[in-house]
Amino acid sequence: MKKVNLIFGTVYGNAQFVAEALCHELQGESRDVSLIQHDELDGFIPPQDEVLLIVCSTTGQGDVPEDIQPWFENIKITAPYLPELRYGVIALGDSSYDTFCRAGIQFDELFTELGSTRIGDILKIDACETMEPEVKAKAWLQSWKDLIDIETVA
């Protein structure tokens, strides 16, 4: 099983709470997982022999939250070629805005440009419909983990 690096960007704490819940879920299955705090991201380039999972809320006009913005910009500027990296995205947003889940979509676009491959679909969690985003994220995680395991065997 590949190690999962969990990164989150949050404004009010929902994305962090979701990331922490997923981390506990993965650890409960004895998976190697690292929950990386935003102050630990300086210079972090995701290892290509591990899996990256980004949990990100959207703020403002579809912006990446301030806590993770410096890392996003650094990855964008340095543009490391990451063709072996596999990643997933959970995007939190509010569908009453035109920029629904735009920050998570920006992460997906960035890692696609870097040559990486997304595992499964982006999970978009709508604050207008979901009061407990961690419940929806845990359900999604079950099928996402299966996809990681299939890729590891292949």
Side-chain angles (χ1 to χ4, degrees):
M1 288 184 277
K2 288 188 174 189
K3 178 180 179 181
V4 176
N5 291 302
L6 245 166
I7 295 174
F8 63 89
T10 193
V11 178
Y12 299 112
N14 285 339
Q16 180 175 357
F17 184 70
V18 169
E20 289 170 349
L22 296 180
C23 182
H24 290 281
E25 187 86 8
L26 291 165
Q27 288 172 335
E29 297 176 359
S30 299
R31 287 184 180 260
D32 190 6
V33 61
S34 181
L35 180 64
I36 303 170
Q37 303 294 322
H38 63 89
D39 59 351
E40 301 171 313
L41 288 171
D42 189 33
F44 177 74
I45 303 295
Q48 293 192 72
D49 61 340
E50 299 174 355
V51 177
L52 177 66
L53 179 54
I54 301 164
V55 181
C56 191
S57 60
T58 298
T59 187
Q61 298 298 312
D63 302 321
V64 172
E66 284 184 22
D67 65 345
I68 199 171
Q69 179 71 29
W71 182 68
F72 177 82
E73 290 300 325
N74 185 56
I75 292 288
K76 198 172 181 179
I77 291 166
T78 59
Y81 184 52
L82 303 170
E84 301 300 316
L85 179 66
R86 303 295 178 254
Y87 71 95
V89 176
I90 297 176
L92 285 75
D94 183 329
S95 64
S96 66
Y97 292 92
D98 293 336
T99 57
F100 176 59
C101 291
R102 183 70 189 130
I105 293 167
Q106 286 184 67
F107 270 107
D108 181 51
E109 291 170 349
L110 175 60
F111 279 95
T112 297
E113 288 175 17
L114 300 175
S116 305
T117 303
R118 187 180 67 237
I119 301 170
D121 294 327
I122 297 175
L123 173 61
K124 295 178 182 176
I125 301 177
D126 186 355
C128 291
E129 297 177 355
T130 307
M131 296 305 293
E132 296 177 318
E134 72 281 3
V135 173
K136 193 166 186 178
K138 284 181 182 180
W140 174 88
L141 184 66
Q142 297 309 310
S143 61
W144 193 75
K145 289 183 310 189
D146 291 342
L147 294 173
I148 294 172
D149 292 340
I150 289 169
E151 285 195 357
T152 303
V153 173

